């Protein structure tokens, strides 16, 4: 038997390194016919704010040749409804739940983190400082390394839950931001969120998205994500979680090879809702076939010529 378990922080040990990415897996309900939530390393919930949020106007999703653009604008049910209607079901399904959080202000993030700290059945928080599709919150914290560090440091004081900080690729120097949030007390870093993009309609001569721009995800962004994960994993001491265009076990293995300690599957869940557990099986098969006893022996084993 191959040991697929990974430890991402004190108190955050996953049975395998495969998670589902925020915003592409809802609260797991729609996926229950296709996979068992407790077979996942963890599932990340749709981004949660203190109060419910309506999101952006439609149209807010457009397909592109090898991915999609979305400008959902962080629509969500808010913290009270999440705790009342969703968390109990996830607890019953024995899912390892990571709650993805965001706020419009620093105080919003802190109040939410404090509130979730008291709840049973939450394994960790993923702090979204990287959503490109909202005017307030998200990206404004994620593109300024000092603001990002100050926010993460304050959340660190507000909760004892393990913290994963999710970074934006829409920056000049992702390594600098990664270093700052690591120093501020984040237990892990996840990357990447979507890459800002645009689509236009030649018939109407209008932007395809009501928001004009959106976030690109899916296979198109994998090489960018892989490069950023490689660069960040080399430079920080804390575990890195790779995200971006992962659709197969081989994609997941590539991220682990360049230094990710775990990965998240996003857009591909929409194409094959059972993909995350298929990737777990594929990972196990690969490691068995290559005589690797433990996933930790494989993580970061990329050989880069001098
Ligand atoms: C429809 C949609 C909604 C998303 N919502 C969130 C969100 O609420 N919070 C967040 O941190 N990331 C969100 N993301 C970003 C994904 O979690 C992920 O970082 C990104 O899609 C890249 O991975 P992928 O190429 O595998 O999809 C969303 C992505 C999509 C496609």
């Amino acid at each position: 038997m191959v040991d697929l378990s990974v430890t991402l922080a004190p108190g955050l040990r996953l049975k395998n390194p495969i998670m589902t990415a925020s915003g592409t897996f809802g609260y797991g309900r729609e996926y229950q016919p296709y996979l068992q939530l407790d077979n996942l390393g963890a599932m990340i919930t749709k981004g949660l704010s203190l109060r419910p949020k309506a999101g952006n106007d439609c149209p807010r999703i457009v397909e592109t040749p090898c991915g999609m653009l979305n400008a959902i604008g962080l629509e969500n049910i808010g913290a009270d409804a999440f705790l009342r209607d969703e968390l109990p079901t996830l607890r019953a399904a024995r899912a390892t739940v990571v709650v993805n959080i965001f706020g419009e202000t620093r105080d919003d993030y802190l109040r939410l983190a404090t509130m979730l700290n008291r709840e049973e059945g939450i394994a960790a928080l993923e702090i979204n400082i990287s959503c490109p599709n909202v005017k307030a919150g998200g990206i404004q914290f994620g593109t300024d390394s000092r603001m990002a560090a100050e926010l993460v440091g304050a959340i660190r004081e507000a909760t004892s839950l393990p913290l994963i900080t999710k970074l934006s690729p829409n920056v000049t120097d992702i390594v600098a931001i990664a270093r700052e949030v690591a120093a501020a007390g984040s237990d892990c870093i996840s990357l990447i969120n979507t890459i800002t993009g645009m689509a236009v309609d030649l018939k109407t001569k209008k932007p395809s998205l009501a928001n004009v721009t959106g976030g690109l995800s899916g296979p198109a962004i994998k090489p960018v994500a892989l490069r950023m994960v490689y660069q960040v994993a080399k430079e920080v001491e804390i575990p890195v979680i790779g995200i971006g265009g992962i659709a197969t076990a081989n994609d997941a293995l590539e991220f682990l090879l360049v230094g990710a300690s775990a990965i998240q599957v996003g857009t591909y869940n929409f194409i094959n809702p059972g993909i995350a557990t298929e990737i777990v099986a594929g990972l196990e098969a690969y490691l068995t076939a290559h005589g690797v006893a433990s996933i930790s022996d494989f993580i970061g084993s990329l050989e880069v010529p001098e």
Side-chain angles (χ1 to χ4, degrees), residues 50 79-80 82-83 87 91 99 109-125 155 158-162:
L50 207 48
D80 288 338
F82 171 71
L83 294 177
L87 189 57
R91 262 192 229 122
V99 180
Y109 276 100
L110 294 185
R111 285 173 59 194
L112 187 54
T114 307
M115 189 172 169
L116 297 174
N117 193 40
R118 295 192 290 265
E119 296 297 324
E120 232 177 83
I122 299 177
L125 300 181
I155 297 175
T159 177
S160 52
L161 286 167

Side-chain angles (χ1 to χ4, degrees), residues 8-23:
L8 297 182
L12 185 60
R13 185 163 187 269
L14 308 185
K15 64 173 67 148
N16 64 64
I18 309 303
M19 315 183 189
T20 50
S22 178

